[in-house]
Amino acid sequence: MSFPRAIDGPRLYDWATRSVAELSARRAEINALNVFPVPDADTGSNMAHTMEAALAEAKKLASHDDVAQVARALSIGSVRGARGNSGLVLSQVLRAIADAAVVGQIAGPDVAYALTTAVQLVDRAISKPVEGTIITVLRSAALAAQEAGEDLHEVVTAAVAAARIALAKTPSQLDVLRDAGVVDAGGMGLLVLLEALLAEVEGSAAVSSAPTEVHGQAAELEIMFFFTGDLALLEQRLQGMGDSLGIARAEENCGSVHIHSRQAGPVIEAAFATGQVTDLRLEVLPDAPQVGAPRRVVVAVTPAGSIAELYREAGAVVVTPGEDIVSEILAEVRTTSAQELILLPNGQLDQRQLVAVERATHAFEQTLTIVPTSRLVSGIAALTVHNPSVPVSVAAYAMTEAAAAMRTTILTECAPGETVEQATERVCLPLLGDGAEQVVVLSRVELDVDKLEAELGLDVMAFPADGLDHLVEIGVE
């Protein structure tokens, strides 16, 4: 079956119309999920109202032939009519679509660009973004879209599949969702919009919740919940979505439901669409026994330039900080086939970013361990002792010990009349003590290593560091 190569103005307008209908139809369902940030049961209403305001602005156009004009109208209407945090996020998604549509069409790469831009816009619009919410679902969709290639249908299909998986895993990232037994309401609303887009591209009469092919294999989840409603209808809808389906009836219209599935998103959607769901729990089931050790990579956050090259030569995957470092890290690690990830932040990430990275990786089938490296020289010490043949927890423990054992300082500038070598010696001396064996120096300028070794009485390893914010960084082991 052939699908359109790009979204034109009429198709974008039809998507907005379809989205309003879907959000309106599922308003109560999404409202019932709303427990974060406050349980005010209005997320579905807010998203529906925001999308209605967007569509109303687009209806004012004399023609819907120009996709850029339609996208701009949707953006303006949503920003003016945004309600609540979820409406604010939705308005930024539509603004990103407008940015992508300026080229005159919305093809596969433009959808990926729009989703990626939306992540950045939302991150700026919300003072303290929280993972396990709509931002996590949006980021997962954006990353999958980036990897899907250029075909419009494949890009949207990948985004929907990733959003479903990320939504299903939101309870594992946010305690309030897990305690309430629900998925994130805003994330569900975003999934509705993405599914509406896929239905529009496919020319479907209604939004499809059919299983979607994804690149790679999602983890099999054990999905458990208490259901009140038509159990026979629910059982019929869940057939084919997984195995080990079991329903323990408390009464004829309520009971505990259990199923193993790699399609957690559609399972949860079907349950909420059929009746009342409470006490929702998700657990990752162990995969089939692996032959050999799981693949592992060490990810280091460093400035661009010679420092980044130094880390690459030592075997690390390097990410240089940009506008959205969280998405950049996740995009980099998703391109690997590693099951285990060790992150060296090297003082380049703040606490909010560390929390966001750690929680965001819950949406993927990769285990992240953060080694607390506060400086770039600490990261070098940690990377030096990494042993890929031992379990990841043991490797991370040894790396943490090495980083903690290194005494570090920085040199921002030389005193008047002082050479760089003299200034380096001055700030280094207080770090020397019993057991000091060598000094590691990262410097923006060339150093006389022989002179430093003679003055300090220790081996000195000096590396060029053209990306440093300061003049010299020093570590004593």
Side-chain angles (χ1 to χ4, degrees):
M1 183 177 181
S2 61
F3 300 107
R5 298 177 60 184
I7 299 170
D8 55 16
R11 186 168 275 112
L12 183 63
Y13 180 82
D14 290 345
W15 166 73
T17 303
R18 184 191 292 261
S19 295
V20 168
E22 288 294 329
L23 286 172
S24 298
R26 301 178 67 173
R27 187 192 312 251
E29 173 193 345
I30 298 173
N31 282 343
L33 301 175
N34 185 195
V35 296
F36 182 86
V38 289
D40 47 9
D42 63 355
T43 294
S45 300
N46 289 342
M47 295 188 79
H49 177 86
T50 302
M51 200 66 205
E52 287 167 357
L55 182 60
E57 189 69 22
K59 285 181 177 179
K60 297 177 183 178
L61 296 173
S63 168
H64 300 134
D65 291 338
D66 189 327
V67 68
Q69 288 185 1
V70 174
R72 185 171 183 273
L74 292 173
S75 174
I76 292 173
S78 66
V79 171
R80 290 175 177 171
R83 281 189 182 178
N85 282 338
S86 57
L88 184 150
V89 172
L90 175 53
S91 72
Q92 297 306 287
V93 172
L94 292 176
R95 176 187 165 190
I97 291 174
D99 288 347
V102 296
V103 297
Q105 65 174 11
I106 304 177
D110 303 312
V111 172
Y113 170 82
L115 291 172
T116 302
T117 302
V119 173
Q120 298 170 1
L121 293 174
V122 170
D123 196 52
R124 287 199 295 266
I126 299 178
S127 58
K128 294 182 179 179
V130 176
E131 296 299 332
T133 62
I134 187 172
I135 184 65
T136 304
V137 179
L138 176 61
R139 181 183 289 111
S140 297
L143 291 173
Q146 289 174 354
E147 298 171 3
E150 297 188 358
D151 180 79
L152 174 64
H153 182 257
E154 291 182 2
V155 168
V156 178
T157 297
V160 169
R164 285 174 176 166
I165 294 172
L167 177 66
K169 293 188 177 182
T170 53
S172 70
Q173 298 165 275
L174 207 55
D175 290 343
V176 66
L177 298 179
R178 183 166 55 250
D179 293 343
V182 297
V183 295
D184 179 66
M188 175 66 84
L190 178 63
L191 178 60
V192 168
L193 295 175
L194 291 172
E195 288 183 327
L197 181 60
L198 179 60
E200 193 63 44
V201 171
E202 293 180 340
S204 304
V207 171
S208 171
S209 292
T212 306
E213 181 182 355
V214 295
H215 298 285
Q217 190 176 45
E220 185 173 26
L221 299 178
E222 183 178 30
I223 307 161
M224 299 159 283
F225 54 88
F226 192 84
F227 180 83
T228 302
D230 190 334
L231 285 170
L233 178 58
L234 176 66
E235 185 174 10
Q236 179 183 346
R237 289 181 171 178
L238 296 186
Q239 291 289 348
M241 290 189 180
D243 52 32
S244 299
L245 173 61
I247 300 177
R249 287 172 167 78
E251 298 178 11
E252 281 306 306
N253 66 339
C254 63
S256 294
V257 180
H258 169 281
I259 186 173
H260 294 176
S261 177
R262 296 187 184 274
Q263 305 162 24
V267 168
I268 294 170
E269 290 174 43
F272 275 101
T274 308
Q276 180 182 359
V277 176
T278 56
D279 195 23
L280 174 65
R281 289 165 291 155
L282 303 174
E283 293 184 11
V284 179
L285 294 170
D287 291 332
Q290 283 187 317
V291 178
R295 185 169 182 268
R296 179 190 308 159
V297 298
V298 178
V299 180
V301 185
T302 80
S306 54
I307 303 177
E309 190 57 35
L310 175 64
Y311 269 88
R312 288 191 186 97
E313 290 175 355
V317 172
V318 173
V319 180
T320 57
E323 290 186 2
D324 184 5
I325 184 60
V326 175
S327 291
E328 289 161 1
I329 291 172
L330 295 174
E332 189 67 39
V333 300
R334 272 176 61 88
T335 61
T336 74
S337 58
Q339 295 87 32
E340 299 173 347
L341 307 167
I342 296 178
L343 176 65
L344 306 179
N346 296 334
Q348 308 293 303
L349 303 177
D350 59 32
Q351 185 175 10
R352 184 190 70 79
Q353 291 168 328
L354 285 171
V355 171
V357 170
E358 197 279 332
R359 289 185 172 169
T361 55
H362 290 201
F364 312 129
E365 283 67 59
Q366 293 172 306
T367 301
L368 177 72
T369 303
I370 300 175
V371 173
T373 53
S374 58
R375 295 196 191 279
L376 291 160
V377 286
S378 305
I380 292 173
L383 190 56
T384 301
V385 301
H386 173 240
N387 184 351
S389 66
V390 301
V392 64
S393 58
V394 177
Y397 179 83
M399 296 171 75
T400 300
E401 275 196 324
M406 176 171 273
R407 299 183 289 275
T408 67
T409 190
I410 60 172
L411 173 65
T412 56
E413 60 182 2
C414 299
E418 204 177 29
T419 66
V420 177
E421 289 79 11
Q422 290 170 336
T424 301
E425 178 188 351
R426 170 172 54 82
V427 298
C428 184
L429 285 174
L431 304 181
L432 303 183
D434 294 339
E437 296 179 352
Q438 72 173 2
V439 179
V440 179
V441 179
L442 302 178
S443 176
R444 285 197 341 231
V445 298
E446 189 173 350
L447 293 173
D448 188 332
V449 175
D450 292 337
K451 182 181 291 185
L452 267 179
E453 289 182 334
E455 294 296 333
L456 296 174
L458 291 172
D459 291 335
V460 176
M461 297 180 62
F463 302 97
D466 50 14
L468 279 182
D469 291 333
H470 34 270
L471 189 60
V472 178
E473 187 170 307
I474 301 164
V476 176
E477 296 180 296

